[in-house]
Amino acid sequence: MDKKMNDLLEDFPILKEMINDEKLVYLDNAATTQKPKQVLDTIRYYYEHDNANVHRGVHTLAERATKQYEQVREKVVNFIGGNDPHEVVYTKGTTEALNWVAAGYGATHVHAGDEIVVSYMEHHSNIVPWQQLAAKVGAKLKYITLTADGQLDLESAKHVITDKTVLVSLCHASNVLGVVNPIKEVAQLAHQHGAIMVVDGAQAVPHMRVNVQKLGADFYAFSGHKMLGPTGIGVLWGKKELLAGMRPLEFGGEMIANVGLYHTDFKEPPYKFEGGTQNIAGVVGLGAAIDYLTEVGLDNVTAHEKSLSKYVLPKLQKIPGIEIYGPSDPDIRTGVLSFNLTGIHPHDLASALDMDGVAVRAGHHCAQPLMKYLGVGATARASFYLYNTKADADLFINAILEAKEFFSNGSF
Amino acid sequence: MALSKLSNLYRQVIMDHAKHPHNNQPLPQADHEIELRNPTCGDVLTVQLKIQDDKIIDVAYTGTGCTISQASASMMTDQIKGKTTAEVEKMVLGFSDMVLGKEVPDMERLLGEAAILQSVAQFPARIKCATLAWKAAYQAIEESENDD
């Protein structure tokens, strides 16, 4: 991939932005990624040439828009290793997808006394919907613990998942710890106990080859904007029979088969979930993002991120007073690096890095239970993606050293 | 060096307050207390007040946070002690306007040393850090007024 790297960088106009008079070093990819020209152009082309509402008109434009909207469903299903485009439901993003599973599936399939299992490393969007569901139906929410180096503890999973468990929901990759979870093993455990496996794939699909069937997932959610696509579009993949038994949460146009005065029959999945005019341009943009990632090759993306993390991790580890969360072995890490520097609050650090053009996240990363588990209030987080370079990594390390100097010696 | 702009934010007096914050301990005789959270970073700050005859007799805070939130809390406690609740409410609104970059008449007189935090206006992402303690004080006073 390095050979194509220069061409690739040209695809992302925003990377040329100057931030506080410095070249932008964008390391907040776990929050959202930048968009290549190919995605932006595709969305623009759609609006300039094909824009119409889908599934409604008989006119040519409506047909063209509908065709693209449905073609992307096929792209999505191929991209994540499913086999039926009707198992792909468009959502606003991962959060909406997980909420729909909780409220649309959980509300009728999880009962008083049942157990829902998540882990300590989950994003709030994979905790709060289950808390709400558990409170509503009288179910119990349980947490799988982590190993000392921040990996999912399979031994704990074996104890926490029981015959009372009806649903297990885990992130495929952590947005804080930089680990990839053994979904396949946990799914097997869940299935042995008659539970279904829900996966939050927001931090995985952009970065690695995912096969929902091989993983043994029953529901799998991810977002377009974290994989070069636009905001406001995401996917809930679900097994056909589960989607069939899941209630829609948006009622209105397009999702109905027949509306009487007092009763309405819904369409078959996925259409019964897609009420109202959908984010069609978002879908088209997601399709372009999938095309782009497919052209680069997901394995190349993974390898590139791994090489960056192998390059930057030892340099980071050498900085005195640094604590890095998650495993110290770069071989089992993704491009997400969360850390703290003794005596410097992550907010102060992030402001300092910003002055050097380096964009990182500081805060609790929507994972307050994990922060509590780690015994920290907040961390700084740098997250790398396919357009980041070793030069970016060097600028990042230098900016940290400069910030450290600034705050400890007080060069003000 | 790009960090030169950073010096506008992290002035010596701000760093001193953050490193050695004033009134940074529990206040056992407090009669009003508000805990506020900065939702972006999870920092928690508790401000405690002792109010008598609409006057701030004593004030203290506990909690950890970034340089800006700690320095701001420290300065706030210094500045509001001995003031009337009406004066403090005016100060909080003035402080809020100041960090939002608005013109505040008589700013130095109103806010004293805390006026140095005016530079936060150049760092919009840090406004919430600066206002946390002041908001807590305001809410504690409102609570005291509701008691009456």
Side-chain angles (χ1 to χ4, degrees):
Chain A
M1 183 162 135
D2 281 337
K3 194 164 165 266
K4 280 172 65 186
M5 198 66 193
N6 280 336
D7 299 343
L8 192 143
L9 292 180
E10 288 301 311
D11 292 337
F12 294 85
I14 203 169
L15 297 179
K16 293 200 176 77
E17 277 295 300
M18 299 299 282
I19 302 293
N20 298 313
D21 304 325
E22 304 284 332
K23 187 192 156 283
L24 168 65
V25 176
Y26 186 76
L27 299 179
D28 196 15
N29 293 289
T32 198
T33 57
Q34 302 303 343
K35 324 301 174 197
K37 275 191 264 185
Q38 288 82 341
V39 167
L40 303 174
D41 290 348
T42 302
I43 294 170
R44 189 183 179 89
Y45 187 94
Y46 166 77
Y47 274 128
E48 286 181 349
H49 298 276
D50 302 325
N51 178 51
N53 212 331
V54 296
H55 293 303
R56 297 177 202 195
V58 289
H59 57 79
T60 305
L61 275 188
E63 186 51 38
R64 289 218 299 250
T66 303
K67 196 172 164 193
Q68 290 185 53
Y69 186 75
E70 291 306 322
Q71 271 173 350
V72 174
R73 234 188 271 279
E74 285 173 34
K75 277 182 192 172
V76 168
V77 84
N78 291 332
F79 192 64
I80 59 171
N83 58 13
D84 183 351
H86 290 111
E87 294 183 327
V88 171
V89 182
Y90 294 130
T91 69
K92 219 160 66 179
T94 308
T95 299
E96 185 171 78
L98 293 170
N99 272 277
W100 281 4
V101 177
Y105 177 87
T108 47
H109 292 79
V110 180
H111 304 103
D114 288 347
E115 292 173 355
I116 302 164
V117 170
V118 297
S119 85
Y120 275 102
M121 71 168 82
E122 302 309 316
H123 188 281
H124 293 161
S125 62
N126 197 25
I127 296 175
V128 186
W130 309 119
Q131 284 177 348
Q132 297 290 315
L133 172 63
K136 192 178 170 193
V137 302
K140 193 176 167 194
L141 185 59
K142 291 165 77 183
Y143 287 81
I144 300 170
T145 57
L146 312 181
T147 61
D149 69 348
Q151 300 187 67
L152 190 87
D153 188 346
L154 266 178
E155 284 309 307
S156 162
K158 283 175 193 162
H159 291 115
V160 174
I161 299 171
T162 70
D163 284 341
K164 285 187 176 171
T165 308
V166 292
L167 190 150
V168 179
S169 191
L170 293 182
C171 58
H172 192 171
S174 164
N175 71 321
V176 176
L177 297 167
V179 293
V180 180
N181 284 327
I183 297 297
K184 202 173 167 182
E185 286 78 357
V186 179
Q188 273 169 7
L189 260 176
H191 293 153
Q192 278 163 20
H193 291 281
I196 65 158
M197 184 74 218
V198 182
V199 185
D200 162 6
Q203 301 291 343
V205 173
H207 306 284
M208 63 193 78
R209 201 178 281 280
V210 169
N211 186 308
V212 290
Q213 296 190 95
K214 281 189 186 154
L215 285 171
D218 296 294
F219 286 107
Y220 195 104
F222 61 97
S223 300
H225 73 96
K226 292 191 200 286
M227 49 178 283
L228 312 178
T231 51
I233 186 69
V235 166
L236 172 65
W237 175 89
K239 282 190 180 155
K240 211 173 197 170
E241 59 275 19
L242 297 180
L243 288 176
M246 180 168 140
R247 271 176 61 78
L249 287 146
E250 302 271 326
F251 303 96
E254 188 49 36
M255 51 83 66
I256 49 84
N258 177 48
V259 179
L261 282 180
Y262 305 106
H263 177 79
T264 291
D265 295 319
F266 305 138
K267 280 187 179 163
E268 292 297 311
Y271 305 105
K272 70 172 179 180
F273 301 107
E274 296 172 2
T277 296
Q278 295 293 296
N279 181 2
I280 306 165
V283 169
V284 170
L286 174 66
I290 290 175
D291 288 344
Y292 190 91
L293 285 171
T294 308
E295 198 193 322
V296 175
L298 255 295
D299 292 338
N300 290 330
V301 174
T302 311
H304 179 72
E305 287 174 18
K306 188 127 296 185
S307 79
L308 280 178
S309 123
K310 273 188 172 175
Y311 179 76
V312 75
L313 193 62
K315 291 179 194 284
L316 209 53
Q317 283 162 334
K318 263 191 220 126
I319 298 174
I322 199 161
E323 182 166 13
I324 303 163
Y325 304 98
S328 52
D329 176 4
D331 275 325
I332 51 171
R333 291 196 67 114
T334 64
V336 174
L337 293 163
S338 297
F339 59 95
N340 265 320
L341 280 171
T342 309
I344 306 179
H345 190 281
H347 256 184
D348 294 322
L349 180 66
S351 279
L353 296 191
D354 185 47
M355 290 302 111
D356 277 336
V358 180
V360 298
R361 170 94 188 261
H364 53 61
H365 317 296
C366 299
Q368 285 180 6
L370 173 60
M371 293 294 117
K372 218 169 180 179
Y373 192 85
L374 295 172
V376 296
T379 80
R381 179 188 70 190
S383 47
F384 292 79
Y385 203 22
L386 77 171
Y387 39 65
N388 291 123
T389 60
K390 282 185 178 164
D392 288 346
D394 288 336
L395 289 165
F396 164 62
I397 296 289
N398 283 341
I400 293 179
L401 294 174
E402 238 178 60
K404 204 167 140 53
E405 173 84 11
F406 180 91
F407 284 110
S408 41
N409 294 343
S411 57
F412 28 78
Chain B
M1 182 174 86
L3 290 194
S4 54
K5 194 180 162 198
L6 208 56
S7 308
N8 295 334
L9 181 59
Y10 296 97
R11 304 285 181 87
Q12 184 66 56
V13 53
I14 293 175
M15 299 299 272
D16 287 347
H17 269 277
K19 275 185 189 145
H20 309 288
H22 306 172
N23 307 303
N24 180 213
Q25 69 274 319
L27 188 66
Q29 71 273 28
D31 43 26
H32 292 90
E33 163 180 330
I34 290 284
E35 179 189 285
L36 278 190
R37 210 169 265 273
N38 183 346
T40 52
C41 62
D43 285 348
V44 186
L45 213 68
T46 303
V47 170
Q48 292 179 300
L49 297 177
K50 169 83 183 156
I51 303 176
Q52 222 165 49
D53 302 327
D54 292 331
K55 210 169 179 182
I56 313 297
I57 303 298
D58 208 351
V59 51
Y61 83 98
T62 49
T64 54
C66 62
T67 301
I68 303 305
S69 79
Q70 294 297 297
S72 184
S74 171
M75 290 178 184
M76 182 276 290
T77 57
D78 279 352
Q79 295 303 320
I80 73 167
K81 210 180 280 186
K83 300 273 187 353
T84 67
T85 52
E87 281 172 328
V88 175
E89 284 180 331
K90 210 177 153 204
M91 289 168 76
V92 174
L93 297 175
F95 184 85
S96 172
D97 280 350
M98 175 185 80
V99 294
L100 286 167
K102 294 182 195 162
E103 196 69 42
V104 178
D106 253 347
M107 189 175 75
E108 270 86 7
R109 186 133 51 103
L110 182 69
L111 298 173
E113 196 183 30
I116 198 166
L117 285 162
Q118 187 185 20
S119 52
V120 170
Q122 298 165 40
F123 295 80
R126 307 302 299 278
I127 292 170
K128 280 182 191 159
C129 312
T131 52
L132 194 64
W134 296 78
K135 269 189 196 155
Y138 191 87
Q139 287 183 18
I141 288 170
E142 273 194 324
E143 192 189 88
S144 78
E145 286 166 350
N146 290 337
D147 291 346
D148 297 340

